Amino acid sequence: MKNIAVIMGGYSSEKEISIKSGEVIMNHLDPAKFKGFPIVIEKDKWFLKDSTQDTHVDKNDFSITLHGQKISFDCVYNTIHGTPGEDGIFQAYLQLIGIPHTSCDSYQSAITFNKRDCIAVLKPWSIHTGRHLYLNAGEHIEPSAIVDVVGLPCFVKANRSGSSFGVSKVYEESAFAKALQIAYQVDDEIIIESFLDGMEVSVGIYKLGEHIHALPPTEIVSENDFFDYEAKYMGKSEEITPARLTETATLAVQELSKRIYAILKLKGIARADFIFHEGTPHFIEINTNPGMSSESIIPKQIRASGQKLQDVLTAIIEDTIKYHKS
């Protein structure tokens, strides 16, 4: 029986979503193979969730003492969205102390969490994207100069954020000031992205051994102006799995997702987002710790693929332990 720490929480506005994801993972661990321990990571403390004791994590070796017995972990399943579990900080700690973890390693996490860096890394590989413009806090740019680069409408986004926090869709120059203010409340780096007209799809990807698997794509139809927080988590969207794509288009976006996963040298479950603009999938971003709550896309895609979430989680955890480099 392997001890699995399912880490959740984190320091960002996605904390509550992360806890929901962690609870789903806990509920789908194979009880014949794994004993799960829900560990909440907060800035001031790391602790065992729902414990009758005040059970804190020993940060020296990421262990806990429960009923007088020290418990070490064979693997960490990472469901933290945002910092420190998606941007590479926690991964670096786990790598330093030698504990296998299901998410990608610290360098890859840092790149993929930074939308600007991720796009820059993929650009030489001829991955189709929209047009982009970058800003840092304190920089000034005239709205007309933004429009010259990306056009209207466009998206103003916090660069290092998830769950659509800090994102606005802008239709006219007068709206840029408010959109930038919203984005800067979340991050001091901004990415401004051209609007791509077309079907939005999301593809789950994971690797077992040397083989990368792509799940059935999900088509996202938002009731709101775009796939914002309400659309993602409050029922304001329709998520159609599998997406209403031709077989050729489905294979194309799945192969592209696997290619991006391979280029970035990822591991664990990731989710790549695209817009089919003028018939071609254009890359938006990749999420290396995607939501796993009951409302999330990945569990739905796993079911659509004819698999059980428990079986996929078992395969990923066993693969993580098997190929761990100490």
Side-chain angles (χ1 to χ4, degrees):
M1 181 82 63
K2 301 288 187 183
N3 291 333
I4 310 300
V6 180
I7 60 171
M8 60 192 81
Y11 310 161
S12 76
S13 47
E14 297 181 87
K15 175 183 175 181
E16 296 307 317
I17 301 162
S18 169
I19 289 174
K20 289 182 179 180
S21 292
E23 290 169 348
V24 168
I25 300 301
M26 284 291 302
N27 290 335
H28 287 84
L29 291 177
D30 185 345
K33 294 186 175 184
F34 308 122
K35 183 168 179 56
F37 295 83
I39 303 292
V40 177
I41 305 299
E42 296 180 348
K43 274 190 175 178
D44 57 345
K45 60 180 178 179
W46 303 356
F47 59 96
L48 180 65
K49 183 175 179 285
D50 300 330
S51 174
T52 54
Q53 306 178 49
D54 191 17
T55 309
H56 288 258
V57 175
D58 183 343
K59 296 181 182 180
N60 292 302
D61 58 2
F62 200 71
S63 65
I64 60 172
T65 299
L66 194 60
H67 307 298
Q69 180 184 1
K70 179 173 177 174
I71 297 171
S72 299
F73 299 109
D74 298 288
C75 183
V76 171
Y77 198 103
N78 184 354
T79 63
I80 296 176
H81 311 317
T83 190
E86 197 172 357
D87 55 4
I89 294 173
F90 211 87
Q91 288 90 333
Y93 161 74
L94 292 172
Q95 288 165 237
L96 188 65
I97 61 175
I99 297 182
H101 60 92
T102 55
S103 51
C104 59
D105 290 336
S106 56
Y107 178 71
Q108 286 77 14
S109 298
I111 287 172
T112 53
F113 190 67
N114 188 308
K115 297 179 181 70
R116 299 180 345 184
D117 288 354
C118 189
I119 290 165
V121 167
L122 292 174
K123 192 171 185 179
W125 299 84
S126 301
I127 305 295
H128 291 284
T129 69
R131 299 184 304 279
H132 299 91
L133 191 151
Y134 306 150
L135 288 177
N136 293 331
E139 286 187 87
H140 175 74
I141 187 169
E142 291 295 331
S144 58
I146 298 175
V147 175
D148 287 344
V149 175
V150 299
L152 287 173
C154 66
F155 288 98
V156 176
K157 301 179 177 181
N159 185 40
R160 296 165 294 190
S161 179
S163 297
S164 297
F165 287 110
V167 179
S168 302
K169 190 173 182 181
V170 174
Y171 287 91
E172 52 192 34
E173 290 186 11
S174 61
F176 276 115
K178 183 178 180 181
L180 289 169
Q181 181 186 22
I182 290 170
Y184 279 132
Q185 288 174 351
V186 178
D187 192 11
D188 61 4
E189 297 179 0
I190 302 297
I191 181 168
I192 303 175
E193 184 175 70
S194 62
F195 169 70
L196 297 172
D197 188 23
M199 180 191 294
E200 182 171 356
V201 299
S202 194
V203 183
I205 330 104
Y206 60 96
K207 185 177 181 181
L208 296 175
E210 295 303 313
H211 186 67
I212 300 172
H213 301 260
L215 294 167
T218 295
E219 175 186 349
I220 297 160
V221 184
S222 177
E223 293 179 20
N224 294 352
D225 202 20
F226 62 96
F227 196 43
D228 60 5
Y229 183 90
E230 276 193 342
K232 287 180 178 177
Y233 301 110
M234 301 174 70
K236 296 289 186 177
S237 68
E238 184 180 6
E239 296 169 1
I240 303 167
T241 308
R244 294 173 294 184
L245 293 168
T246 64
E247 184 177 348
T248 300
T250 296
L251 288 173
V253 77
Q254 286 178 318
E255 289 303 312
L256 179 56
S257 299
K258 292 194 287 187
R259 182 166 175 249
I260 290 169
Y261 187 103
I263 289 168
L264 295 171
K265 298 183 177 179
L266 304 183
K267 67 183 182 75
I269 297 177
R271 194 195 71 231
D273 298 335
F274 303 90
I275 300 287
F276 265 87
H277 180 62
E278 297 178 351
T280 300
H282 285 59
F283 174 75
I284 305 299
E285 62 181 325
I286 191 161
N287 187 327
T288 57
N289 273 14
M292 297 295 287
S293 70
S294 56
E295 297 86 16
S296 297
I297 289 171
I298 294 293
K300 296 175 184 176
Q301 292 185 350
I302 289 171
R303 288 195 296 271
S305 72
Q307 302 179 88
K308 293 180 179 178
L309 179 56
Q310 178 176 288
D311 294 339
V312 173
L313 294 179
T314 295
I316 288 172
I317 292 169
E318 291 181 339
D319 198 69
T320 298
I321 295 170
K322 180 179 178 180
Y323 290 100
H324 174 63
K325 297 174 183 177
S326 56

